[in-house]
Structures are given as C-alpha cells and as structure tokens.
Amino acid sequence: AQTVTQSQPEMSVQEAETVTLSCTYDTSESDYYLFWYKQPPSRQMILVIRQEAYKQQNATENRFSVNFQKAAKSFSLKISDSQLGDAAMYFCAYRSAPGNQFYFGTGTSLTVIP
Amino acid sequence: DTGVSQDPRHKITKRGQNVTFRCDPISEHNRLYWYRQTLGQGPEFLTYFQNEAQLEKSRLLSDRFSAERPKGSFSTLEIQRTEQGDSAMYLCASSPTGGELFFGEGSRLTVL
C-alpha cells in the first residue's frame, strides 16, 4: 500500500504570514492524484486543493498553493496571508489514477496566532 | 445543496452492544467510503462501495463490522459486540467516479 507521511504534527503561523506544510509519499505508480484536506475543529473535512501527477504546473486556489516535486515524491502546501479561519488539521492524501482507495497522512495541526 | 449526512452524530454505548451508523451520500455520487479516525490520526480506510457493490474491505476490519449499501443509495455501518477499542469517529465520504472525496461530519462512537 502507498504511504503518505506528514512529518510536522503541529505548526503555527502569525496571522497574515505564510506557512508551508510538508508531505511526502511513497509510490511506484506514475499516474496518481494528490490532495490536501482541511478539518476544522468539530467540523467536516473539506478539500483544499488537488494536483494531478501528470500536470507539471503546481495547483493554486486563491491563498493556497502547492509545490509538487514528482521526482522527490514531495507535495507541500503553502498558505499565504494566513487567516484565523485557516486554523485546522490538514491532511495530505494520495489516490492512484486507476485506483479507488485514498491514503491519508497523520495530519498537521495548524495554529494561527492573532 | 445537500452534502453528505451522517446519523447519529454521537453515540454512547456499553461494551457488547451493537451499533449502526447511517450515511446519506451526495445523490449523484456512485462511490461511498467508510473511514475510521482516532484522535491525532488520519482517516483509516474501512470499506468502499461502487453503487450497491462492496468492492473493497480493509484487511484490518474485524468481522464484527459489516456495511451495506442497498440500491446504491444510503449506506449503513454496523458494529456488533462493541469493544472499547472501537471508540472513534466514523467518517463517511462519497465521490463521483475519478473525483475527490466529499466527507460527512462523522459519527462519534464512545464505548463504555
């Protein structure tokens, strides 16, 4: 099974500053999808951003962007202009292109300091 | 816009009792997943349906766990003879073919 590793259990950032969350994964496949999900306290998990492995261009969604390094099997999330509402658990996830299972990392708890 | 809904949101039960959780996916989604999440951990895959067919089940899943998705609509997850180690958040998610997961708010189980 594929493994997804998030090596930062906790991170903090000052409001309006930029923070980067790390994620690495292990796979022998060439075609797959990567995701970042956000889980606010006591609320449902929602998709932040997704990246198709065949696309060289890094995905961006407003203040959220990724740095996808396919050879290094690295997929980091950058949050710019951090807001109090960004405080949450962030999970990195992997799905192979033909597959159906999603594999999740253990998460990074992000605190935003006012 | 109706998202994924789960019921009940919280369940407290005594060890040895049976519990059942229900998930109503987004109506046009043909895939439905069940995950278990414990504190400080990421979601752990339990099982997955495409329409009414249960296509995959985690090898870690005890035979006390069973899931159904009759007629490819809502799904139920039943845990028989609950144990304290079953205490967790049970997450349901649905997706269209090839798409991302849309999660419900989860059903929190506490086994006393």
Side-chain angles (χ1 to χ4, degrees), chain A residues 64-109:
Chain A
F64 299 86
S65 62
V66 299
N67 183 3
F68 173 48
Q69 300 289 327
K70 192 171 184 178
K73 298 179 183 176
S74 170
F75 182 60
S76 61
L77 174 69
K78 185 171 81 171
I79 307 174
S80 304
D81 186 25
S82 296
Q83 300 175 359
L84 295 177
D86 295 333
M89 283 290 289
Y90 286 82
F91 292 97
C92 179
Y94 167 103
R95 182 177 71 83
S96 65
N100 304 310
Q101 261 206 50
F102 289 74
Y103 298 90
F104 287 84
T106 51
T108 296
S109 177

Side-chain angles (χ1 to χ4, degrees), chain A residues 4 14 16 18-19 31-32 34 39 42 48 53-54 57 64 68 72 83 92-93 99-101 112:
Chain A
V4 179
Q14 291 285 145
T18 296
V19 65
D31 197 12
Y32 48 87
L34 296 165
Q39 188 176 38
S42 301
V48 175
Y54 65 86
Q57 187 173 7
F64 299 86
F68 173 48
Q83 300 175 359
C92 179
N100 304 310
Q101 261 206 50
V112 181

Side-chain angles (χ1 to χ4, degrees), chain B residues 96-110:
Chain B
T97 303
E100 64 263 23
L101 295 174
F102 292 77
F103 282 89
E105 296 191 46
S107 293
R108 181 170 296 283
L109 174 65
T110 301

Side-chain angles (χ1 to χ4, degrees), chain B residues 2 9 11 16-17 19 21 23 28 30 33 35-36 45 57 60 62 66 68 72 78 80 86 97 100-101 104-105 112:
Chain B
T2 55
R9 296 289 311 282
K11 179 72 176 179
Q17 298 295 304
V19 296
F21 300 114
C23 172
E28 59 266 30
N30 60 348
Y33 297 77
Y35 287 87
R36 178 170 58 193
F45 171 77
K57 186 175 176 179
L60 302 175
S62 159
S66 62
E68 293 182 341
E78 181 183 18
Q80 296 181 325
D86 297 331
T97 303
E100 64 263 23
L101 295 174
E105 296 191 46
L112 302 177

Side-chain angles (χ1 to χ4, degrees), chain B residues 26-45:
Chain B
I26 294 171
S27 57
E28 59 266 30
H29 289 179
N30 60 348
R31 294 182 175 181
L32 187 148
Y33 297 77
W34 285 99
Y35 287 87
R36 178 170 58 193
Q37 187 180 25
T38 53
L39 195 63
Q41 298 296 315
E44 175 192 18
F45 171 77

